[in-house]
């Protein structure tokens, strides 16, 4: 019995046409909605086809699609690639959707290149999977009873140009699970997608500003709907922190095996010109490539350099930050510098500390310029995170994957919070925790040169590594959502 409507918003190439013929002949599909399909779709299909012009991501088109559907489920086929799925696999997805009582179901798939299939696993969805770029793959199977229920409860799809499907899945996720079927049920070919660099920085690209503003508006409405939204007037200033500090600021550099860059980084830190005393704390995480010897020599020449080798051997970058913060050498403010990066000017530290003091912030985040190893600027150039606003940056931070650099903290506040002992996402988790309670300041001029090279921790990541990193940050967001909901309930 036909229980499914297919919504196709992908290139109608030969593989797609054959897939559509298979669907039509299977008896599973009652109708097809073809968005911008053109004239290449055959007219002899055994199911009725509705043709629409526009974008499935716009509110008016998505609303028209949902109003036209009378089946129990709807399959969205999205993307500029060829999708091949058998009727048997489609039936498997429908059975799993019903059994899981999910509002949306998605599955793993195969990437097919030159006849070779490679498994493309996806990650589980959770409450903190708020990123608008969360990957469901090109096939998303929605339960129409769930969709109708959430639209009746929360109102119609908003009049947006880009964020309609994002809005729909967030609404569905409030009352229904979004179920990941960890089986490869189809194959895709014909699209490489954006490069790693493009994907990382897409949300700060000024060309995407209109898209991001819509996504932020939709996510903010979701946070309000779930009780996780924090009004800006509830955020505190850092206030007076008790305790004596040996210096006003400490530049913190965690390092392990960076013999090619550590001397430059330390010299950049020591060359800062300030109206206050500062030091540089390098936490050397048991380097074995000559980094330790380089640091020992630099420390002998300049007493402002504190070279710490932790007693523990199980520390990630976050654990190294905790060692620096708890050190008796740590200043009132703790300011970040990665071991392969440099400050862009001799006044960067002064600029950061002035902003911390003037705004009485618990944290300040600057802007940086992407360079190659030789410090030549490369695309996308300046990363200034202008998506941040005083009114809503602390809420929008739950939607995006990072806040920028260099990061600087009120050391007393950060000591009480502490960093997660991991080497990915520790700074993001700290920023989310601070922004739940305190005001964060921003500096939109470049203070920092960030090298993109093969030694970066996020260089040339495999799909498995990318999935692991995304899953970790989603878990961080999930915990933060719960904490914000609890905080709001206590008021």
């Amino acid at each position: 019995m036909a229980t499914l409507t297919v919504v196709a918003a992908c290139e109608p190439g030969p593989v797609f046409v054959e897939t559509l013929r298979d669907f039509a002949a299977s008896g599973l599909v009652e109708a097809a909605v073809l968005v911008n399909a053109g004239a290449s779709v055959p007219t002899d299909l055994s199911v009725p086809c509705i043709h629409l012009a526009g974008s499935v991501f716009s509110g008016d088109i998505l609303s028209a699609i949902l109003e036209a559907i009378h089946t129990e489920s709807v399959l969205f086929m999205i993307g500029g690639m060829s999708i091949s799925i058998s009727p048997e696999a489609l039936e498997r997805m429908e059975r799993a959707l019903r059994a899981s009582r999910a509002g949306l179901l998605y599955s793993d798939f195969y990437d097919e290149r030159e006849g070779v299939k490679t498994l493309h696993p996806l990650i589980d969805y959770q409450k903190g999977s708020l990123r608008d770029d969360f990957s469901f793959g090109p096939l998303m199977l929605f339960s129409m009873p769930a969709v109708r229920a959430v639209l009746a409860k929360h109102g119609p799809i908003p009049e947006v140009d880009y964020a309609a499907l994002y809005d729909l899945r967030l609404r569905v996720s409030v009352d229904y699970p979004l179920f990941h079927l960890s089986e490869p049920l189809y194959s895709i070919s014909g699209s490489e997608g954006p490069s790693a660099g493009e994907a990382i920085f897409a949300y700060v690209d000024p060309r995407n500003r209109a898209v991001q503003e819509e996504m932020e508006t939709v996510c903010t409405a979701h946070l309000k709907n779930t009780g996780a939204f924090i009004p800006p007037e509830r955020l505190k200033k850092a206030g007076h922190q008790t305790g004596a500090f040996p210096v006003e600021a400490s530049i913190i550099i965690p390092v392990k095996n960076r013999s090619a860059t550590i001397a430059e980084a330390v010299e950049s830190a020591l060359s800062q010109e300030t109206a206050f005393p500062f030091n540089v704390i390098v936490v050397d995480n048991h380097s074995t490539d000559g980094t330790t010897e380089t640091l020992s020599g630099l420390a002998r020449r300049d007493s402002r350099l504190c070279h710490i080798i932790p007693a523990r051997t199980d520390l990630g970058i976050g654990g190294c930050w905790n060692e620096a913060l708890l050190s008796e050498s740590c200043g009132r403010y703790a300011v970040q510098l990665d071991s392969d990066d440099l400050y862009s000017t001799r006044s960067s530290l002064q600029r950061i500390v002035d902003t911390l003091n003037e705004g009485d912030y618990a944290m300040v985040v600057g802007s940086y310029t992407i360079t190659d190893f030789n410090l030549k600027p490369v695309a996308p150039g300046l990363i200034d995170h202008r998506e941040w606003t005083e009114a809503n940056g602390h809420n929008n931070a739950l939607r995006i994957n990072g806040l920028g650099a260099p990061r600087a903290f009120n050391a007393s506040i950060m000591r009480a919070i502490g960093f997660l002992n991991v080497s990915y996402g520790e700074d993001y988790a700290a920023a989310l925790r601070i922004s739940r309670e305190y005001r964060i300041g921003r500096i939109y001029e470049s203070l920092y040169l960030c090298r993109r090279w093969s030694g970066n921790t996020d260089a040339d990541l495999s799909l498995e590594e990318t999935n692991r990193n995304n899953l970790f940050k989603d878990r961080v967001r999930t915990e933060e959502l719960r904490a914000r909901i609890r905080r709001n309930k206590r008021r």
Side-chain angles (χ1 to χ4, degrees):
M1 182 178 67
T3 59
L4 173 69
T5 299
V6 174
V7 176
C10 54
E11 295 294 328
V15 174
F16 166 76
V17 171
E18 188 60 34
T19 299
L20 201 56
R21 287 188 185 278
D22 288 344
F23 284 172
S26 70
L28 295 172
V29 176
E30 181 178 289
V33 180
L34 308 178
V35 183
N36 289 340
S40 57
V41 177
T43 58
D44 59 345
L45 294 175
S46 58
V47 297
C49 294
I50 301 171
H51 288 260
L52 294 174
S55 169
V56 73
F57 302 107
S58 71
D60 57 345
I61 294 298
L62 183 57
S63 295
I65 290 169
L66 297 176
E67 289 172 5
I69 292 173
H70 305 288
T71 52
E72 290 297 300
S73 56
V74 55
L75 179 72
F76 283 86
M77 304 174 66
I78 299 171
M81 71 287 289
S82 296
I83 302 172
S84 178
I85 180 172
S86 69
E88 292 78 14
L90 187 57
E91 190 173 11
R92 169 76 179 106
M93 293 179 72
E94 281 213 286
R95 288 200 310 270
L97 180 68
R98 291 191 297 270
S100 63
R101 297 184 179 179
L104 183 158
L105 180 139
Y106 61 104
S107 79
D108 297 343
F109 56 92
Y110 291 109
D111 288 310
E112 187 168 358
R113 301 286 182 269
E114 299 179 351
V116 177
K117 292 183 177 181
T118 305
L119 178 65
H120 191 122
L122 300 175
I123 63 175
D124 290 349
Y125 193 93
Q126 51 191 301
K127 293 297 184 182
S129 299
L130 298 181
R131 295 176 289 117
D132 51 84
D133 63 351
F134 183 92
S135 179
F136 295 96
L139 297 187
M140 303 167 66
L141 184 64
F142 281 91
S143 161
M144 281 306 298
V147 169
R148 295 182 188 110
V150 298
L151 293 180
K153 180 178 178 181
H154 302 294
I157 300 293
E159 295 180 2
V160 293
D161 294 322
Y162 312 103
L165 205 55
Y166 177 52
D167 176 84
L168 180 61
R169 62 102 156 169
L170 288 180
R171 291 176 188 232
V172 170
S173 71
V174 175
D175 299 316
Y176 298 88
L178 274 54
F179 185 69
H180 170 214
L181 188 59
S182 54
E183 303 172 24
L185 293 180
Y186 58 97
S187 300
I188 67 170
S189 60
S191 176
E192 295 294 337
S195 68
E198 291 172 337
I200 289 173
F201 297 112
Y203 67 98
V204 295
D205 189 329
R207 294 172 297 180
N208 298 333
R209 187 68 186 128
V211 177
Q212 293 303 309
E213 287 177 345
E214 279 197 1
M215 298 295 182
E216 178 176 352
T217 298
V218 165
C219 186
T220 300
H222 174 73
L223 295 178
K224 291 178 178 179
N225 187 33
T226 56
F229 176 82
I230 296 180
E233 60 269 18
R234 292 187 190 169
L235 299 180
K236 302 184 296 187
K237 294 183 177 182
H240 177 69
Q241 303 294 321
T242 60
F245 296 92
V247 290
E248 182 72 358
S250 293
I251 296 173
I252 310 298
I253 308 177
V255 63
K256 183 171 185 176
N257 293 340
R258 283 287 188 267
S259 60
T261 60
I262 187 59
E264 274 189 295
V266 170
E267 288 163 3
S268 171
L270 291 172
S271 68
Q272 291 298 294
E273 297 174 352
T274 65
F276 51 81
F278 73 93
N279 62 18
V280 179
I281 302 176
V282 181
V283 183
D284 177 7
N285 200 9
H286 303 279
S287 297
T288 58
D289 69 340
T291 294
T292 301
E293 291 74 17
T294 297
L295 289 168
S296 296
L298 291 170
R300 284 193 296 269
R301 294 198 294 272
D302 196 319
S303 61
R304 294 176 299 166
L305 175 57
C306 307
H307 180 199
I308 297 175
I309 301 176
R312 292 174 56 176
T313 59
D314 62 345
L315 297 181
I317 293 174
C320 289
W321 261 93
N322 290 334
E323 291 279 323
L325 284 166
L326 296 174
S327 164
E328 62 182 14
S329 300
C330 187
R332 184 180 308 279
Y333 298 120
V335 184
Q336 170 244 347
L337 179 64
D338 286 348
S339 58
D340 52 358
D341 296 333
L342 309 174
Y343 292 122
S344 58
T345 72
R346 292 178 182 267
S347 61
S348 292
L349 181 60
Q350 183 72 56
R351 179 81 169 87
I352 291 168
V353 171
D354 285 348
T355 303
L356 280 160
N357 283 324
E358 290 164 4
D360 197 11
Y361 295 116
M363 178 180 180
V364 161
V365 186
S367 302
Y368 60 97
T369 300
I370 300 290
T371 76
D372 62 16
F373 185 81
N374 297 314
L375 304 180
K376 179 181 178 181
V378 297
L382 176 66
I383 306 297
D384 57 11
H385 285 269
R386 286 188 180 271
E387 82 285 347
W388 179 278
T389 64
E390 281 283 328
N392 202 47
H394 59 291
N395 290 306
N396 192 44
L398 287 161
R399 182 184 65 88
I400 59 179
N401 247 7
L403 271 70
R407 297 167 293 275
F409 307 91
N410 181 300
S412 295
I413 291 174
M414 200 58 234
R415 280 173 174 170
I417 292 172
F419 283 88
L420 301 179
N421 184 29
V422 294
S423 292
Y424 175 82
E426 75 290 335
D427 50 348
Y428 179 67
L432 285 185
R433 172 61 187 88
I434 290 173
S435 69
R436 184 198 317 164
E437 190 173 353
Y438 295 97
R439 296 175 65 233
I440 292 179
R442 303 296 308 219
I443 300 173
Y444 294 115
E445 64 200 58
S446 181
L447 302 176
Y448 192 91
L449 302 178
C450 179
R451 284 182 166 120
R452 303 294 295 178
W453 64 298
S454 59
N456 289 138
T457 55
D458 59 353
D460 298 320
L461 293 180
S462 67
L463 176 61
E464 289 73 19
E465 291 169 318
T466 299
N467 280 348
R468 183 170 62 248
N469 288 347
N470 283 332
L471 186 63
F472 173 78
K473 281 194 173 178
D474 283 355
R475 285 173 178 158
V476 167
R477 277 185 283 266
T478 297
E479 293 176 7
E480 182 62 27
L481 275 173
R482 291 169 177 161
R484 294 187 182 203
I485 292 169
R486 288 194 300 269
R487 181 173 185 246
N488 285 336
K489 285 182 177 178
R490 288 197 298 267
R491 294 190 64 86

